[in-house]
Amino acid sequence: NGMKVFIGSGTTALMVAKCLEGHKDLTIVTNSIGAAALYFGHANAKIRVLGGAMRTDYQATYGHTTVSALNEHHFDIAILGASDVHEEYGFMSYEEEEVALHKLADAHAGRTIVVADSSKFGLISAVRSFDIAEVDVIVTGGHVERKFIELFEKNRQEFIQA
């Protein structure tokens, strides 16, 4: 309640956005059209959709305009999806534009939460967003190999299996 939250694009981040609907006095900043649409008509939340070039395959905005707009904000929490999670290469994405947005959101947030479906663990994407140790909280559902849990414990990160 009473927080300013950045929600990135992607299906897992969208699921987390749905979980926030009951909270009061939220300010949500997002590049995700889907996340913004969840809050149409909600009196408990203020929504700021970042401008930029629309990527219809992601239903999200990206590019210089999006990054410039994001740079003006500070967040209590940034909620970011990951395309893949690899023990050596960290949290990954398919697109450089998404990585740039994630890095900036992380730099402007008090805490960063990465959300990823358990099927994405152990896989490698094209571009690294963060080293494993660079985020505060990791949230997933389903089974995750023990090596990842041990890595998060070693880094003293909060790991949530929802």
Side-chain angles (χ1 to χ4, degrees):
N1 292 335
M3 297 183 108
K4 186 172 184 182
V5 179
F6 176 79
I7 300 174
S9 63
T11 55
T12 311
L14 185 60
M15 290 175 59
V16 173
K18 289 178 183 179
C19 295
L20 298 176
E21 285 183 295
H23 292 270
K24 296 183 187 321
D25 194 30
L26 282 179
T27 299
I28 295 174
V29 178
T30 186
N31 69 317
S32 167
I33 303 306
L38 284 175
Y39 290 92
F40 290 161
H42 283 256
N44 292 333
K46 296 177 211 159
I47 307 301
R48 168 78 163 98
V49 180
L50 300 174
M54 171 69 108
R55 293 271 319 258
T56 56
D57 53 339
Y58 285 97
Q59 296 183 356
T61 58
Y62 291 98
H64 175 74
T65 303
T66 312
V67 169
S68 293
L70 180 63
N71 199 39
E72 301 302 318
H73 294 272
H74 175 78
F75 309 101
D76 296 298
I77 297 172
I79 300 170
L80 309 171
S83 299
D84 291 315
V85 183
H86 189 268
E87 64 271 18
E88 183 179 343
Y89 299 112
F91 299 101
M92 305 192 78
S93 176
Y94 297 112
E95 300 290 334
E96 290 176 350
E97 290 178 324
E98 185 174 43
V99 169
L101 202 64
H102 283 184
K103 288 181 181 279
L104 187 59
D106 173 60
H108 287 245
R111 292 187 82 192
T112 298
I113 300 171
V114 171
V115 295
D117 181 274
S118 61
S119 67
K120 297 177 180 181
F121 282 73
L123 302 176
I124 299 174
S125 293
V127 187
R128 186 174 73 86
S129 295
F130 304 106
D131 184 66
I132 289 287
E134 290 182 288
V135 302
D136 302 298
V137 182
I138 302 94
V139 179
T140 191
H143 175 75
V144 174
E145 291 181 65
R146 184 77 194 144
K147 66 182 175 182
F148 286 103
I149 296 169
E150 290 171 357
L151 187 55
F152 301 145
E153 288 172 351
K154 177 183 158 203
N155 293 328
R156 298 180 182 199
Q157 295 162 294
E158 187 176 352
F159 176 64
I160 300 169
Q161 284 184 290

